Amino acid sequence: MTITAAEVLVSSPGRNFVTVRITTSAGVTGLGDATVNGRELAVVSYLRDHLVPLLIGRDAHAIEDTWQYLYRGAYWRRGPITMAAIAAVDTALWDIKAKLAGMPLYQLLGGRSRRGCLAYGHASGADLPELFDSVRAHLGQGYRAIRIQTGIPGLSSVYGVASSSNAHVGDAAGATSRYDHEPARRSAVPVEEEWDTRAYLRHAPRVFEAVRNEFGPELPLLHDAHHRLTPIQAARLGKELEPYDLFWLEDVTPAENTAMLRRVREHTTTPLAIGEVFNTIWDYRELFEEQLIDYVRSPVTHAGGITALRRIFDYAAVYQIKSGVHGPTDVSPVGLAAALHLGIAIPNFGIQEYMKHSAATDEVFRPAYRFADGLLDPGEEPGLGVDYDDEAGAAHPYEPAYLPVNRLKLDGSMHDW
Ligand code: EZ4
Ligand code: CO
């Protein structure tokens, strides 16, 4: 059975997605997610101009060999664009193999290890009353773990905090209503946000104190610092959050220098998660072997596919480190489905981020996965359980969109985000 076609599908049902669809001589097709938020068309070119011509005629069953061929064969290895392109091809080939076996993909990955994948949702608010409403709404929807982000006194808007004032065009709910589900904004250039680390460090512990007082000690709480702190600032934050028993503190420092997490670890027992912007197993080596983190944030989409991420999780398991897969709306339903098939099977599943996609997105991808009682389940459809609707996709053509950039309030200089 050979690969006869590989299409790169671009659609924008509320946000941009890049999807690979591979067709085989047996007539079976498979899907993979190649979306890199804010740099989508670079991956389209990588795929169309450089990978698709190499795929035609290859054995569709030879997943490992194709992965090695695309990774080692590039000479310029790694990087988010390369690894997202490889991930999409790899995921599509796993989808095909599982469809041919007549099984949901997780059966090929070892079968079911748990009843479902514990999911966490995103509660946020400009202030505490708005945040509490958002937490209550998530509890009402069945979430059993919740990420907490809030506005900071003195800052006009903060990344990751939804409000009616930063509603996004293209949302099914309309441009004037609150939209919790979209980190990017459709615009020709990125929106600029302002930042003040000292104000954040003063405010964050008070927020968690208030949330614990309101909602009690049981609910697992998570928080994302978006790479904005220095090691010593991160150490202080982790220490000050200890009384509030976080499930994890995410991305405290910039991802390039993983050694700096040693300093953070020396000071705090708050569990640490990192890796949503990593793209290979090598990025984790120091963090695993020195046991500097507790959760791996890589999604299938940005870490080279199912083949590569499974290897990362096995490596993590040696050090009692668990999965905590990135699942924002910019990971498409194909990428999320792939994560759920892995998550339901692996021994060291931790938690899965879940930021529900818009209705328009689900109309294009028709995912079989379901969320109930706080757990996500990949479903029992053969393969990934995602079915791309060409007509629905074509109704939403690509539109430029960017994540915001972050400047210091003090003097306007660029800051990590
Ligand atoms: O900033 O998905 O944990 N989740 C996050 C996300 C990321 C975006 C980047 O595209 O940090 O909001
Ligand atoms: Co994050």
Side-chain angles (χ1 to χ4, degrees):
M1 185 186 63
T2 57
I3 296 172
T4 52
E7 301 156 272
V8 186
L9 310 163
V10 182
S11 61
S12 196
R15 67 156 359 275
N16 294 314
F17 293 110
V18 178
T19 308
V20 169
R21 180 168 54 204
I22 291 180
T23 304
T24 62
S25 51
V28 180
T29 63
L31 298 172
D33 177 26
T35 307
V36 174
N37 204 5
R39 297 293 186 272
E40 295 87 357
L41 300 185
V43 197
V44 173
S45 165
Y46 193 100
L47 282 159
R48 280 197 184 136
D49 297 333
H50 301 290
L51 293 201
V52 169
L54 310 181
L55 295 175
I56 310 303
R58 290 186 68 83
D59 177 0
H61 274 306
I63 299 178
E64 182 66 49
D65 184 63
T66 297
W67 195 96
Q68 299 293 336
Y69 181 74
L70 298 180
Y71 180 80
R72 297 188 180 194
Y75 191 66
W76 283 275
R77 300 180 186 187
R78 306 183 292 163
I81 307 299
T82 300
M83 298 311 288
I86 294 174
V89 172
D90 181 81
T91 305
L93 294 178
W94 277 107
D95 190 16
I96 289 166
K97 198 185 276 291
K99 281 182 184 171
L100 282 165
M103 291 178 182
L105 175 60
Y106 73 78
Q107 295 290 11
L108 273 57
L109 301 173
R112 190 176 278 269
S113 292
R114 53 188 53 77
R115 283 195 300 280
C117 298
L118 175 68
Y120 73 89
H122 286 217
S124 71
D127 53 24
L128 286 177
E130 216 179 276
L131 172 67
F132 287 2
D133 285 349
S134 177
V135 173
R136 278 187 205 102
H138 281 81
L139 292 172
Q141 289 161 27
Y143 283 97
R144 293 198 228 159
I146 299 183
R147 188 182 93 158
I148 300 289
Q149 308 291 134
T150 65
I152 298 166
L155 298 183
S156 54
S157 73
V158 173
Y159 182 74
V161 178
S163 76
S164 43
S165 60
N166 68 359
H168 303 291
V169 182
D171 170 30
T176 53
S177 66
R178 178 185 163 107
Y179 187 32
D180 276 305
H181 316 301
E182 181 46 67
R185 292 178 213 181
R186 287 180 164 172
S187 53
V189 295
V191 169
E192 306 219 342
E193 294 184 342
E194 54 177 17
W195 182 249
D196 178 343
T197 304
R198 293 186 67 231
Y200 166 72
L201 288 175
R202 282 194 305 274
H203 190 59
R206 303 285 70 79
V207 170
F208 279 88
E209 181 185 32
V211 170
R212 279 289 176 223
N213 286 340
E214 182 73 13
F215 296 97
E218 279 292 333
L219 182 66
L221 299 176
L222 301 85
H223 181 64
D224 193 343
H226 283 293
H227 311 111
R228 292 177 177 193
L229 307 177
T230 64
I232 207 68
Q233 289 167 342
R236 170 182 153 189
L237 180 64
K239 212 154 86 169
E240 292 189 1
L241 290 176
E242 279 171 23
Y244 313 113
D245 187 25
L246 265 62
F247 186 97
W248 79 36
L249 180 57
E250 174 185 346
D251 287 344
V252 280
T253 50
E256 292 94 330
N257 182 1
T258 52
M260 66 170 85
L261 286 175
R262 282 184 203 131
R263 181 63 30 81
V264 183
R265 203 64 155 172
E266 280 164 9
H267 288 280
T268 181
T269 57
T270 294
L272 301 175
I274 203 163
E276 68 184 49
V277 300
F278 291 0
N279 42 70
T280 71
I281 197 166
W282 304 102
D283 298 327
Y284 286 103
R285 193 166 65 101
E286 200 165 41
L287 298 176
F288 287 175
E289 289 177 8
E290 295 187 37
Q291 309 192 43
L292 300 179
I293 60 169
D294 301 280
Y295 295 93
V296 169
R297 292 288 287 141
S298 284
V300 170
T301 308
H302 302 131
I306 289 164
T307 298
L309 190 56
R310 188 168 59 162
R311 221 164 257 147
I312 291 173
F313 289 154
D314 281 344
Y315 185 16
V318 174
Y319 303 98
Q320 294 173 281
I321 295 167
K322 294 185 174 185
S323 73
V325 171
H326 196 209
T329 39
D330 48 285
V331 166
S332 88
V334 179
L336 179 59
L340 297 178
H341 285 279
L342 257 180
I344 209 95
I346 58 171
N348 54 334
F349 173 81
I351 201 165
Q352 170 67 49
E353 183 178 18
Y354 184 45
M355 215 177 169
K356 207 172 158 2
H357 288 104
S358 68
T361 297
D362 283 349
E363 273 164 36
V364 174
F365 291 93
R366 302 171 182 276
Y369 53 72
R370 291 288 172 264
F371 174 75
D373 299 328
L375 306 180
L376 279 161
D377 192 285
E380 297 298 324
E381 294 289 313
L384 286 169
V386 182
D387 193 11
Y388 191 90
D389 183 324
D390 285 276
E391 214 174 299
H396 302 283
Y398 170 82
E399 283 183 42
Y402 288 97
L403 288 161
V405 298
N406 194 27
R407 292 187 182 276
L408 292 185
K409 186 180 181 187
L410 180 74
D411 65 0
S413 54
M414 283 291 290
H415 188 62
D416 299 303
W417 78 276

